[in-house]
Amino acid sequence: MAKRIGVLALQGAFAEHETMLSALGAACHELRNRNDLAEKPDGLVLPGGESTVQRKLLMESGMFASIKSWIEEGMPVLATCAGLILLAEHLSNDERTCFKTLPVTVRRNAYGRQLGSFIAEADVRYIGTMRQNFIRAPYIEQVSPKVEVLSETAGHITAVRYGHQLALAFHPEVGHDTRLHEAFLRMI
Ligand code: GLN
């Protein structure tokens, strides 16, 4: 049976993840309100976008507590950019933490205005060299010892894995490289 992926679809770049995951044979279900949580998915995607808006909508929609407990219970998660910010236990330049299930410190909009968006090539552990799209991206300033660093770009940590949580500062859903999404599906 196709793996069922719940994609947080409140705001941001969720459609791109759905396109990629569907092409890989997964069944995507958009999570927009509490009714969408009735059937528990096999995995979860937290897309990029604006983390402050997503956080507010998560609270208002009444989905926050259930999704947090899914993650705490071990549901595999792929989080990109704003999604990484939502998972982070600490933010170095903002007080608005959200799920706090990933023991890292993240800096929002870390590259400043001038380097708001850029593309880099860097090695991703277990995968190889990837073209990485950064869009007003955060980076990871500190990780707890149990967190595995998967990629560093220009001296900053940009991808980590902590148990079933895979979190990236860049956007693998943009473009045609499906290797990280395949790796995520293998975690399920
Ligand atoms: N700058 C955004 C934030 O702080 C994240 C950017 C993104 O998801 N592409 O939420």
Side-chain angles (χ1 to χ4, degrees):
M1 242 186 30
K3 289 170 184 172
R4 224 180 106 86
I5 309 298
V7 181
L8 187 68
L10 294 170
Q11 186 269 343
F14 53 88
E16 292 83 348
H17 281 288
E18 292 170 11
T19 304
M20 209 166 247
L21 290 165
S22 305
L24 294 171
C28 294
H29 293 269
E30 295 187 346
L31 309 178
R32 295 174 184 273
N33 59 57
R34 283 174 65 93
N35 300 335
D36 300 326
L37 307 183
E39 216 178 313
K40 198 171 161 181
D42 304 313
L44 178 68
V45 170
L46 302 176
E50 187 55 41
S51 57
T52 52
V53 176
Q54 293 186 5
R55 176 180 183 271
K56 185 166 172 285
L57 295 173
L58 267 167
M59 303 296 172
E60 288 175 5
S61 65
M63 293 197 292
F64 169 76
S66 304
I67 294 181
K68 181 172 163 72
S69 53
W70 284 352
I71 302 170
E72 285 170 346
E73 286 160 14
M75 182 181 290
V77 189
L78 172 63
T80 57
C81 212
L84 158 67
I85 296 168
L86 295 184
L87 289 183
E89 200 168 294
H90 305 283
L91 302 175
S92 58
N93 57 349
D94 203 312
E95 271 149 27
R96 288 166 287 183
T97 48
C98 189
F99 294 120
K100 294 173 75 91
T101 53
L102 181 66
V104 300
T105 302
V106 167
R107 172 167 290 269
R108 291 186 59 209
N109 301 321
Y111 298 92
R113 278 168 184 274
Q114 300 235 317
L115 257 178
S117 301
F118 62 98
I119 292 174
E121 288 226 335
D123 198 58
V124 179
R125 197 165 188 184
Y126 309 119
I127 293 200
T129 305
M130 286 192 85
R131 222 172 121 84
Q132 302 177 342
N133 261 282
F134 293 87
I135 306 169
R136 288 179 44 76
Y139 60 61
I140 300 164
E141 283 186 337
Q142 271 180 2
V143 297
S144 101
K146 287 189 183 142
V147 173
E148 183 180 18
V149 174
L150 300 178
S151 191
E152 286 183 61
T153 306
H156 298 293
I157 300 169
T158 57
V160 293
R161 178 175 176 167
Y162 177 65
H164 57 285
Q165 299 177 63
L166 179 59
L168 318 166
F170 52 91
H171 287 265
E173 77 283 9
V174 177
H176 301 284
D177 189 341
T178 58
R179 289 177 292 170
L180 271 168
H181 287 78
E182 288 168 44
F184 165 60
L185 290 175
R186 282 197 299 272
M187 285 165 59
I188 296 171

